[in-house]
Amino acid sequence: ERFFGYRCIDGMFVMTDNLKKYYAEVAPGNCRFMVMPAIVDVQKFDKVEVNEKDIDYVTYCGDFGGNKDGVADLLSAFITIADKFPAVKLKLIGSTSEQHTLKKLYDMSKQANLADRIIFTGRLDHQAVAYNLKNSRVLALARPANKQAEGGFPSKVGEYLATGNPVLVTRVGEIPLYLHDEINAFSVEPGDIGLFADKLAYILDNPEKAEKVGAAGKELAMQMFDYRSVAGKMIDFMRVDNM
């Protein structure tokens, strides 16, 4: 009975293929689906000033809570390679209400004697986030394999790609459906901090390759995630003759 309303639906927008499969079981057989994993404004980042003296960062943006995005794993990976890249800093944008989580991250940076190279910005406004993402060497997401990640595609990945900077992610959820290692992003299997650290070092060691992959990632964002492209696909999807 709780699924009765879905029986009257002609079409549905969903974020992931897993959601499509889920709702296809309760929707009418002729119900059409459009998968929209992320929507971003790519041109927004084209307007952001790049300061060549302020780009030596590996950057993460999001919620630190519950290690759902693997912030502690990212921090550990950075600590592993920090000595090899003394000019590079780790920038963590965001926060959490979990004080024990924040304390753990702060303690990790202090114990590694890297408190001056691990920057906790706290929450930033929209423009500041765009500036910090654009002015980075690498944008990273070390999300572990968990129930939340299984059927998801992190919206932040769309924003990362839109900057044109190289993106390093773990192959969780539906990320591998769109991002391919050393093609339009860099990716590794989840849960292996050493592997993540090695890939991060590879990106920093190979700026020309990183730039090429970052450009391909931006092209993917323009084609798949930019709101202009998505809007056109939505209009086509909703045309009466298509329903």
Side-chain angles (χ1 to χ4, degrees), residues 80-91:
T80 300
I81 67 166
D83 287 346
K84 185 177 180 181
F85 303 96
V88 178
K89 298 180 181 180
L90 175 65
K91 184 176 291 184

Side-chain angles (χ1 to χ4, degrees), residues 7 35 163 176 189:
R7 299 172 191 170
V35 179
T163 67
E189 292 301 318

Side-chain angles (χ1 to χ4, degrees), residues 13-235:
F13 298 108
V14 293
M15 286 192 66
T16 64
D17 278 347
N18 264 337
L19 284 175
K20 175 182 175 181
K21 293 174 184 176
Y22 175 81
Y23 285 110
E25 294 182 359
V26 297
N30 61 348
C31 180
R32 298 172 60 250
F33 292 87
M34 178 176 170
V35 179
M36 301 163 46
I39 302 177
V40 299
D41 180 2
V42 174
Q43 291 184 7
K44 171 184 70 177
F45 290 98
D46 292 338
K47 302 173 185 176
V48 176
E49 176 186 3
V50 176
N51 184 350
E52 292 294 338
K53 297 181 180 179
D54 191 34
I55 62 173
D56 287 329
Y57 296 100
V58 175
T59 302
Y60 162 85
C61 181
D63 190 337
F64 300 173
N67 201 39
K68 72 179 184 67
D69 276 351
V71 178
D73 291 347
L74 171 59
L75 182 53
S76 295
F78 177 76
I79 290 171
T80 300
I81 67 166
D83 287 346
K84 185 177 180 181
F85 303 96
V88 178
K89 298 180 181 180
L90 175 65
K91 184 176 291 184
L92 302 175
I93 303 171
S95 188
T96 177
S97 58
E98 300 173 3
Q99 293 304 308
H100 66 282
T101 298
L102 283 177
K103 184 178 185 304
K104 175 185 176 181
L105 298 174
Y106 289 142
D107 288 346
M108 288 174 66
S109 64
K110 291 177 182 177
Q111 290 168 7
N113 294 317
L114 292 172
D116 60 331
R117 292 178 57 195
I118 299 173
I119 314 301
F120 294 87
T121 70
R123 300 185 188 279
L124 301 177
D125 64 34
H126 189 71
Q127 289 185 329
V129 169
Y131 175 86
N132 281 279
L133 292 183
K134 183 73 172 182
N135 285 273
S136 298
R137 292 287 185 199
V138 186
L139 300 173
L141 176 62
R143 179 169 284 192
N146 54 36
K147 191 64 178 177
Q148 180 187 14
E150 280 182 16
F153 184 90
S155 57
K156 67 170 60 63
V157 171
E159 295 271 305
Y160 281 8
L161 294 169
T163 67
N165 289 328
V167 175
L168 172 58
V169 296
T170 47
R171 291 192 281 268
V172 296
E174 299 194 1
I175 287 177
L177 297 180
Y178 304 92
L179 273 59
H180 306 290
D181 187 35
E182 299 193 25
I183 303 297
N184 52 24
F186 295 90
S187 63
V188 298
E189 292 301 318
D192 190 328
I193 295 173
L195 198 60
F196 198 91
D198 289 345
K199 184 67 78 168
L200 182 56
Y202 174 82
I203 299 169
L204 294 171
D205 264 334
N206 295 273
E208 292 185 2
K209 174 72 172 181
E211 182 178 0
K212 181 179 179 180
V213 171
K218 181 177 179 179
E219 183 64 27
L220 172 70
M222 291 176 63
Q223 293 178 0
M224 295 293 300
F225 309 136
D226 186 75
Y227 77 87
R228 300 163 186 84
S229 174
V230 173
K233 296 172 184 177
M234 289 178 69
I235 291 171

